[in-house]
Amino acid sequence: MEIYLICLAVALVGGLMLSRLTKLLHLPAVTAYLIAGLLLGPFCLGAFKVPGLGFNSLAQVETLSIVTQTALGFIAFTIGNEFRLSQLKATGATAITVGILQAVITTVLVDIVLIGLHLCFPHIISLPCAITLGAIASATAPAATLMVVRQYKADGPLTRLLLLVVAIDDAVGLLLFSVSFGIATALSNGQVSVLAVVVEPIIEILLSLLLGSAMGWLLNWVEQFFHSRSKRMTISVAFVMLTVGLSMMKFQIGPVHCGFSLLLVCMMTGTIFCNICSTSEELMSRVDGWTTPLNILFFVISGAELDLQVLASPVTILVGVIYILARSAGKYCGANLSCRLTHEPKPIVDHLGITLLPQAGVALGMALTAASLPDGALARNVVLFAVLVYELVGPTLTKRSLTAVGEIRPEGRTSARTLNPSENGQS
């Protein structure tokens, strides 16, 4: 246990120290945390097997998944706070249209490219693998996007639309992946399961929305029994943790396998809570401050989880490069087209697609499921390779796009080391 505590402490300090370097290079702090994870991971410092100096194996990193899952829950809860009725009335229809269209266009484009690769070189990639990767391509990482927005205090039409689209993207991606994976399994086994392709994905989304709504209402009710700010913040943190735990549960009703989407559940909890609690904004700001170290650990551990062994396979790199190029084109063209259809201003049309490039946790979760296919190892490795590239490049591209449209303020040199006025008077 003491080794894990030392590892977490080293991860926090390492991530923070590296962020000072990336600030000099005008890179987002998210990039620093991911690189710190790579350096502390089992393929760099961890390879020396010195206890406490980095993560010695991927198995050791995986034991800390409770930290990353909890952090992802808080991130989703925060994004749910963007779904305020006042904002939904202004951009809700646009966000839904863009969120659905860009995901579907990305999946279709990646499917076309990879199926074409299969037809030309069937020994490189199978048809089930190509179809599955197309659906995984629709997923966007909400964590990296939110961290960039927070770090630079970005605000404006593009930022607000981006956060809504990223949230909607999860539900759309879940449906696309479930249908595509069902088809891919059917092609591999020679039989189609209507339960797996249609029924179970819809049940998962409905159950997630139901549980999230219930937890949002319950949180608001319990909050009313406390008046101290610190106690209300504590109960909010406890409820998000409880929601994350409940969303990990799986059960079976007859032949139907039931489960929840952690992101959807926590987003819905945040959405309901922010719309019925009059003091939700003040509470959210306090919760955000509490979760800062947790978010840093999320990205450092995510960096340590990246398996650099995938770089040793020429086939993985070839398919990975094609996947990255096709997905990037799909996200950009899909967002561009959908924004034109909804008559968005030119800055949003030109830059929204670029901000949707980051890909991480959700895609990795889908890739683990896809690993059960006969050619699933290739799908998993391609996604690992793509995540490695997207997570290191994506946050910087997001920052540049938000800066280009004027929604990121110039960074100041403010310091937390300010003297108390009374102390200043005594000195």
Side-chain angles (χ1 to χ4, degrees):
M1 185 63 69
E2 64 272 15
I3 297 300
Y4 283 103
L5 285 175
I6 294 171
C7 283
L8 290 176
V10 170
L12 272 174
V13 175
L16 287 172
M17 294 301 290
L18 201 60
S19 70
R20 304 310 301 167
L21 176 61
T22 54
K23 186 171 184 179
L24 296 176
L25 300 173
H26 303 290
L27 295 174
V30 175
T31 305
Y33 305 147
L34 289 164
I35 294 174
L38 279 173
L39 294 176
L40 293 171
F43 301 100
C44 291
L45 291 176
F48 292 105
K49 306 297 182 183
V50 178
L53 181 63
F55 304 99
N56 300 150
S57 66
L58 286 174
Q60 187 182 34
V61 179
E62 287 169 8
T63 58
L64 297 172
S65 62
I66 186 65
V67 177
T68 56
Q69 293 293 90
T70 304
L72 202 55
F74 278 100
I75 288 164
F77 181 71
T78 302
I79 290 177
N81 193 48
E82 299 297 322
F83 283 86
R84 294 182 179 272
L85 288 177
S86 56
Q87 189 156 328
L88 287 176
K89 289 176 183 177
T91 58
T94 299
I96 292 170
T97 303
V98 175
I100 294 173
L101 275 181
Q102 59 82 24
V104 172
I105 289 172
T106 301
T107 295
V108 171
L109 183 58
V110 176
D111 273 341
I112 291 172
V113 171
L114 293 182
I115 290 173
L117 180 65
H118 163 73
L119 294 175
C120 295
F121 306 99
H123 61 284
I124 289 180
I125 184 170
S126 67
L127 185 57
C129 183
I131 293 172
T132 304
L133 282 172
I136 294 175
S138 65
T140 299
T145 303
L146 183 64
M147 285 292 282
V148 172
V149 169
R150 277 183 178 174
Q151 180 185 352
Y152 298 105
K153 298 179 175 61
D155 189 32
L158 175 59
T159 301
R160 289 191 287 270
L161 179 61
L162 169 62
L163 291 175
L164 292 176
V165 169
V166 166
I168 293 167
D169 186 87
D170 180 55
V172 179
L174 176 64
L175 266 177
L176 289 172
F177 176 75
S178 298
V179 172
S180 296
F181 183 66
I183 294 171
T185 304
L187 289 172
S188 299
N189 301 334
Q191 57 181 3
V192 179
S193 171
V194 178
L195 277 178
V197 176
V198 179
V199 178
E200 289 181 356
I202 293 175
I203 289 177
E204 181 171 336
I205 289 175
L206 291 177
L207 285 176
S208 299
L209 295 177
L210 218 79
L211 176 60
S213 299
M215 294 304 291
W217 282 98
L218 191 58
L219 172 58
N220 179 63
W221 179 70
V222 174
E223 288 275 9
Q224 298 173 14
F225 292 97
F226 301 92
H227 303 288
S228 161
R229 289 181 177 179
S230 58
K231 289 179 180 177
R232 295 181 72 208
M233 183 197 73
T234 302
I235 202 67
S236 299
V237 170
F239 255 80
V240 176
M241 288 182 174
L242 175 61
T243 304
V244 170
L246 291 175
S247 67
M248 291 178 177
M249 294 175 61
K250 296 184 185 297
F251 55 95
Q252 192 169 340
I253 302 176
V256 182
H257 294 84
C258 301
F260 305 94
S261 165
L262 185 150
L263 286 175
L264 272 183
V265 173
C266 293
M267 281 179 194
M268 197 62 187
T269 303
T271 299
I272 296 297
F273 179 67
C274 78
N275 280 290
I276 62 177
C277 178
S278 57
T279 59
S280 62
E281 286 195 52
E282 183 265 338
L283 270 172
M284 289 301 298
S285 63
R286 295 177 70 84
V287 171
D288 287 346
W290 183 88
T291 57
T292 298
L294 191 62
N295 291 335
I296 294 173
L297 282 176
F298 171 82
F299 286 103
V300 175
I301 294 172
S302 297
E305 281 179 327
L306 296 176
D307 190 347
L308 297 184
Q309 288 179 333
V310 299
L311 300 178
S313 170
V315 173
T316 297
I317 294 176
L318 172 64
V319 179
V321 169
I322 294 172
Y323 169 87
I324 289 170
L325 293 175
R327 179 181 179 271
S328 300
K331 284 290 179 184
Y332 183 81
C333 295
N336 189 291
L337 176 61
S338 53
C339 285
R340 288 179 187 276
L341 291 175
T342 52
H343 307 292
E344 290 300 302
K346 192 173 185 304
I348 293 181
V349 171
D350 292 341
H351 292 281
L352 179 63
I354 297 172
T355 63
L356 294 172
L357 292 181
Q359 189 174 46
V362 179
L364 289 174
M366 293 177 178
L368 285 175
T369 304
S372 62
L373 292 170
D375 200 16
L378 176 62
R380 180 179 177 274
N381 289 339
V382 166
V383 173
L384 279 169
F385 173 69
V387 166
L388 176 64
V389 174
Y390 277 127
E391 284 298 89
L392 294 177
V393 177
T396 301
L397 294 177
T398 299
K399 178 199 170 186
R400 287 184 177 179
S401 290
L402 293 176
T403 302
V405 297
E407 297 188 8
I408 285 183
R409 304 170 187 172
E411 290 184 85
R413 292 187 59 82
T414 55
S415 172
R417 298 177 182 176
T418 53
L419 287 172
N420 185 294
S422 60
E423 293 175 351
N424 197 23
Q426 293 171 359
S427 58

